[in-house]
Amino acid sequence: GFLEDGILVQDVSRTRQRYLGSWTFPWDVMAVLPTELLCVLPGVPRVLGVPAARANRCLRVPRLFEAFDRCETRTGWPNVFRVAKLMLYLLLGIHWHGCLYFALSAHLGLGVDPWVCPSFTRLLRRYLHSFYFSTLVLATVGDTPAPQREEEFLFLTAGFLLAVLGFATITGSISTVIVNLSAADTAFYPDAGPVLRYLRARGAGGRLAGRVVRWHQHLRAQRKLPAEREVLQHLPRGLQAEVAASVHLAALRRVGLFRSWEHGVLRQLVLRLRPQVFGPGEFVCRRGDVGREMYFIREGHLAVVAEDGVTQLAVLGEGLYFGEISLINIKGNTAGNRRTANILSIGYSDLFCLGKEDLAEVLAEFPCARAAMEAKGRELLLRMGQLNTGAEVAALAAEAEAERRLQGLEVALEGLQTRAARLLAQLEATALRMALRVQRLEGRLHQ
């Protein structure tokens, strides 16, 4: 097939028509012509002439490079493919150099001196000797017999020069592969080096540095990606939603709060989530802190601990959430926007973090989801004894009074707008009458 406006066309007739009209078709035809049949003509050498007669196969080189490029861009292991391609080029170069060496040896005479290929009876032994000789030359080992003739000197010198150029190219390509591997790791995972150097410079190493190292090791071992937004930022927003949904939507559906929510809410929500990983003994939030995020547990276990930081009051597992009370403005909440509990990570915990502004945007677009979250938050506050029902009733009454006053102001504003429009119409009519009267008086004056 072929791409047309970014869509793969697999229609056979259209593909045939496009291929026959392309510049690659005549090149492919010339590349597959059976030119080796020329060697059956009288006077043409039948063994040494075959490689020269098959030189038209080299016209397939652009197609080979095109296949390599497509393979490299579509494979899941591009760096491994690059290394394999370099090894293929290396073996092919040694093979071609060995063929030239054997051709030169046959021209000078097999076995006439120690430098040329010996006159072995088996063809395989001749090829292995030529391949071994070319490997020594192109690897710049230099452990080869001394040349005796001018042709041998020139061939060996050209081989050493090609070896220097080839090894420089291969070394640079392998260095590029290593750099690409490091760049890929840096793009996905944070580097612990700057943090460790900062701790050593400030004299705060030891146990804290060990925690930092273990946290980075856990990220790499479990393939956690804390920099998802930076990785997906160049994609269109719709494609970002598809990618994020395919990765996180299954985990979000395990959260009890989201099971009754519609699919559109989850698609809006998944774009605003930020993954965070907490280590063992690390506090996610403390009681009394200002709440700016709510959390959803994807993996791991968290403990609700007392003020001593040791006594466990409850354990939160996969699919649960917390922190929404400090983000939602529930009437009668005595804690306000402060955290109501101490949350401690027991082991390594993988959480989703949702900011206050992002949550407000999502709930503003979906009132039903907001009502469900407020109902659950109110129920939790009642169980904790932190909901002042009197204050809630007073707040609701004040809100209703404010709404009533707002409606009254809107009605009064509409009345004022109506009166202003009537006065403006009267003013325009008066101005028109005055203009007509002035026009009549000017006519009388001219008469």
Side-chain angles (χ1 to χ4, degrees):
F2 62 95
L3 293 177
E4 186 177 58
D5 297 332
I7 301 176
L8 182 63
V9 178
Q10 294 181 319
D11 182 68
V12 177
S13 60
R14 293 183 61 187
T15 304
R16 182 189 304 112
Q17 181 180 1
R18 178 184 176 88
Y19 175 62
L20 294 178
S22 64
W23 66 270
T24 57
F25 174 69
W27 286 79
D28 292 342
V29 171
M30 290 186 289
V32 299
L33 289 177
T35 52
E36 62 269 17
L37 296 178
L38 297 174
C39 296
V40 302
L41 297 176
V44 179
R46 302 198 175 183
V47 177
L48 298 180
V50 170
R54 292 176 58 87
N56 61 323
R57 300 294 189 269
C58 295
L59 297 176
R60 299 285 292 178
V61 170
R63 305 284 280 177
L64 179 66
F65 289 158
E66 181 184 358
F68 281 167
D69 291 339
R70 293 193 180 186
C71 242
E72 186 174 335
T73 55
R74 299 184 184 184
T75 183
W77 305 90
N79 293 312
V80 176
F81 181 80
R82 293 190 190 104
V83 173
K85 187 172 63 174
L86 287 175
M87 296 301 298
L88 175 64
Y89 288 160
L90 181 62
L91 294 176
L92 189 60
I94 295 175
H95 167 75
W96 284 350
H97 190 271
C99 293
L100 293 176
Y101 166 73
F102 180 77
L104 180 60
S105 299
H107 174 72
L108 298 177
L110 297 176
V112 296
D113 59 43
W115 188 86
V116 297
C117 180
S119 57
F120 295 116
T121 57
R122 296 180 60 194
L123 185 63
L124 177 61
R125 187 66 179 271
R126 295 179 181 180
Y127 174 76
L128 292 178
H129 178 83
S130 302
F131 193 88
Y132 173 72
F133 182 88
S134 297
T135 303
L136 294 179
V137 173
L138 296 182
T140 64
V141 175
D143 189 15
T144 58
Q148 305 294 329
R149 306 181 186 182
E150 295 178 356
E151 295 88 345
E152 298 173 359
F153 276 105
L154 293 175
F155 184 83
L156 197 59
T157 302
F160 282 136
L161 292 178
L162 288 176
V164 172
L165 178 62
F167 268 90
T169 304
I170 293 174
T171 303
S173 301
I174 294 178
S175 300
T176 303
V177 171
I178 296 174
V179 170
N180 289 337
L181 286 174
S182 302
D185 289 341
T186 304
F188 287 113
Y189 306 105
D191 186 12
V195 181
L196 297 178
R197 288 192 293 270
Y198 172 78
L199 292 176
R200 285 196 297 267
R202 297 294 182 178
R207 183 178 180 183
L208 185 57
R211 290 180 58 189
V212 172
V213 171
R214 287 192 297 271
W215 184 80
H216 284 83
Q217 290 175 350
H218 173 76
L219 289 183
R220 293 177 180 272
Q222 301 297 325
R223 303 181 66 84
K224 307 295 184 183
L225 302 180
E228 282 190 353
R229 290 192 174 184
E230 290 76 7
V231 174
L232 304 178
Q233 63 181 346
H234 300 293
L235 295 177
R237 187 170 181 83
L239 192 56
Q240 286 185 24
E242 292 292 338
V243 173
S246 65
V247 176
H248 299 309
L249 199 56
L252 281 180
R253 291 190 182 279
R254 293 197 296 267
V255 178
L257 177 65
F258 301 144
R259 289 175 184 170
S260 59
W261 288 16
E262 56 183 296
H263 185 74
V265 186
L266 299 182
R267 285 181 58 86
Q268 293 294 326
L269 188 66
V270 77
L271 283 176
R272 296 170 169 84
L273 294 178
R274 298 191 305 273
Q276 290 187 1
V277 179
F278 292 88
E282 186 176 356
F283 278 93
V284 180
C285 61
R286 294 178 180 271
R287 184 175 183 178
D289 293 344
V290 177
R292 297 184 178 90
E293 302 93 5
M294 67 175 299
Y295 299 91
F296 309 95
I297 305 176
R298 182 180 182 181
E299 294 178 1
H301 294 83
L302 304 176
V304 182
V305 298
E307 294 299 330
D308 56 4
V310 177
T311 305
Q312 295 186 4
L313 304 179
V315 176
L316 306 178
E318 177 183 335
L320 299 180
Y321 62 96
F322 61 92
E324 78 284 0
I325 298 178
S326 58
L327 301 185
I328 305 175
N329 186 19
I330 300 178
K331 306 297 186 297
N333 183 9
T334 58
N337 62 344
R338 301 285 179 174
R339 299 294 188 188
T340 58
N342 300 312
I343 308 296
L344 179 71
S345 177
I346 299 177
Y348 282 100
S349 303
D350 189 8
L351 309 179
F352 287 132
C353 174
L354 181 63
K356 186 174 184 178
E357 294 78 10
D358 296 330
L359 179 63
E361 291 179 5
V362 173
L363 296 183
E365 297 174 359
F366 300 94
C368 295
R370 181 182 184 86
M373 181 171 284
E374 288 182 350
K376 289 183 177 293
R378 187 176 183 278
E379 180 182 354
L380 182 59
L381 288 176
L382 282 174
R383 288 202 304 266
M384 297 172 60
Q386 294 185 356
L387 182 64
N388 188 346
T389 55
E392 181 184 12
V393 172
L396 291 175
E399 184 177 353
E401 178 65 20
E403 183 67 23
R404 186 185 63 78
R405 291 185 178 182
L406 181 60
Q407 292 179 357
L409 290 176
E410 289 178 352
V411 172
L413 181 60
E414 290 179 358
L416 291 176
Q417 290 177 346
T418 304
R419 292 180 60 185
R422 188 182 300 114
L423 291 175
L424 183 60
Q426 291 177 359
L427 179 61
E428 291 177 352
T430 303
L432 180 60
R433 288 196 300 270
M434 291 294 295
L436 294 175
R437 185 175 180 182
V438 169
Q439 187 178 2
R440 287 196 302 270
L441 292 176
E442 289 178 348
R444 292 180 183 178
L445 181 59
H446 289 305
Q447 291 177 1

